Amino acid sequence: MNGAFDYGAAFSRNIGWVTESEQQALRGKRVAIAGMGGVGGVHLLTLARFGIGAFSIADFDTFDIVNFNRQAGAVVSSLGQPKADVLARMARDINPDLDLTVFGDGVTDSNLDTFLGDADLYVDGLDFFAFSARRATFAACRRLGIPAITAAPLGMGVAFLCFTPESMSFEEYFCLEGCDEDEMALRFLLGLSPAMLQRSYLADASRVNLSEHKGPSTIAACQLCAGVIATEGVKLLLGRGNVSVAPRGYQFDAYRNRFVRTWRPGGNRNPIQRIGLAIARRQLAGMKEARARG
């Protein structure tokens, strides 16, 4: 079957939006993606269809039926199988010539430098609550000089942030040092989405439980994230087109038909953010009290 595959023919319809020489440049790029779940898997498949030639992917989890509503590799035949292995097979079905390395234990302190080795770009696909792994990965990207991008699937929209070696760092923006997990969750959420466009149409607030790492999700948001990640990622890899970097970002909400550019100098230390965090803390405390009362 590999003999029937032709890279030039497979990705010829990209030409026009990229040049032939740019397509060959993408063939020589490596993208590292941590997390093969809700967004990570569809990021991999979308970037593979752009003709990216090499990937490092990491995930320790297996597919479960609760993943069916949003995760690219979640089907009956993949139940119980490692997410990274399933997505690797799917990506190789798109491009059998891929140089693809699988890290089946996820990202850890001991493998981060290897995982990010030779990477031209890091794409964040980690679970929302994987704060320790995410902080370590973004810190390693900064140390190694690798651009790192994240697109959060919020409601039925996407919020995008980019951290480069020259921009504000992930830690400077989110200010997670010394926080407990609930506070990290609030700071991460509000930092990703200063405009909080998704908040107005949440249909059942009881489904949000930060302390138990639970929250609703949609495939619409995951697919929007993949389009944004692929577009911004290709701009970074080819070195053309404007990419907003932290503390600037943006959010698009398809449900509300709204697009907002965000700018938070100082990140979560910004006075507007601090007000928002204070409100969010009160709301979280109220939700906990309501659940305690039954």
Side-chain angles (χ1 to χ4, degrees):
M1 289 296 293
N2 284 16
F5 177 77
D6 179 271
Y7 179 92
F11 304 111
S12 62
R13 295 295 293 271
N14 292 338
I15 308 303
W17 297 114
V18 298
T19 67
E20 291 189 11
S21 62
E22 286 176 331
Q23 186 67 68
Q24 288 303 312
L26 293 176
R27 189 178 189 178
K29 300 295 186 181
R30 175 174 291 275
V31 175
I33 309 173
M36 287 287 108
V39 290
V42 71
H43 290 343
L44 171 64
L45 301 183
T46 305
L47 289 167
R49 293 192 188 278
F50 244 118
I52 305 298
F55 293 94
S56 297
I57 63 173
D59 201 305
F60 60 82
D61 202 4
T62 58
F63 280 113
D64 187 273
I65 197 164
V66 296
N67 304 142
F68 276 36
N69 78 310
R70 69 197 182 285
Q71 298 194 12
V75 293
V76 171
S77 61
S78 70
L79 282 171
Q81 295 186 31
K83 293 180 180 180
D85 291 346
V86 171
L87 268 299
R89 289 197 300 269
M90 295 175 71
R92 289 190 176 110
D93 263 353
I94 296 168
N95 180 358
D97 295 338
L98 279 181
D99 175 0
L100 200 158
T101 304
V102 175
F103 292 77
D105 295 325
V107 287
T108 66
D109 290 339
S110 61
N111 72 15
L112 257 178
D113 281 13
T114 305
F115 169 69
L116 293 170
D118 299 322
D120 299 289
L121 176 69
Y122 169 68
V123 172
D124 181 27
L126 291 167
D127 182 83
F128 178 90
F129 297 96
F131 299 121
S132 178
R134 179 173 282 109
R135 293 174 71 190
T137 305
F138 274 86
C141 287
R142 190 167 184 87
R143 173 169 53 82
L144 297 170
I146 300 168
I149 56 178
T150 188
L154 300 172
M156 298 181 207
V158 51
F160 174 80
L161 284 172
C162 174
F163 297 90
T164 67
E166 298 78 28
S167 77
M168 190 177 201
S169 74
F170 178 93
E171 201 63 44
E172 289 168 339
Y173 182 83
F174 285 104
C175 310
L176 302 182
E177 184 66 33
C179 299
D180 63 22
E181 198 161 71
D182 279 354
E183 181 67 15
M184 283 190 191
L186 291 177
R187 292 189 182 201
F188 189 52
L189 176 60
L190 200 63
L192 287 169
S193 171
M196 289 295 286
L197 297 181
Q198 72 280 6
R199 180 175 53 192
S200 66
Y201 58 91
L202 179 64
D204 184 353
S206 70
R207 294 290 180 165
V208 180
N209 191 328
L210 297 182
S211 298
E212 294 184 6
H213 296 185
K214 293 180 180 179
S217 58
T218 70
I219 185 60
C222 294
Q223 297 282 8
L224 287 166
C225 287
V228 165
I229 284 288
T231 303
E232 301 289 3
V234 165
K235 288 195 288 185
L236 287 163
L237 291 170
L238 295 179
R240 71 171 171 92
N242 180 60
V243 178
S244 297
V245 299
R248 297 182 186 275
Y250 61 81
Q251 183 176 5
F252 169 67
D253 192 282
Y255 186 89
R256 296 185 61 189
N257 296 324
R258 287 196 61 193
F259 176 85
V260 175
R261 296 186 186 276
T262 56
W263 181 44
R264 290 296 185 269
N268 278 332
R269 292 187 179 90
N270 185 282
I272 296 174
Q273 290 294 96
R274 294 167 86 171
I275 293 170
L277 285 166
I279 294 170
R281 289 185 197 108
R282 287 198 296 270
Q283 291 174 338
L284 179 61
M287 291 166 66
K288 286 182 176 181
E289 289 176 7
R291 279 194 292 270
R293 291 194 299 268

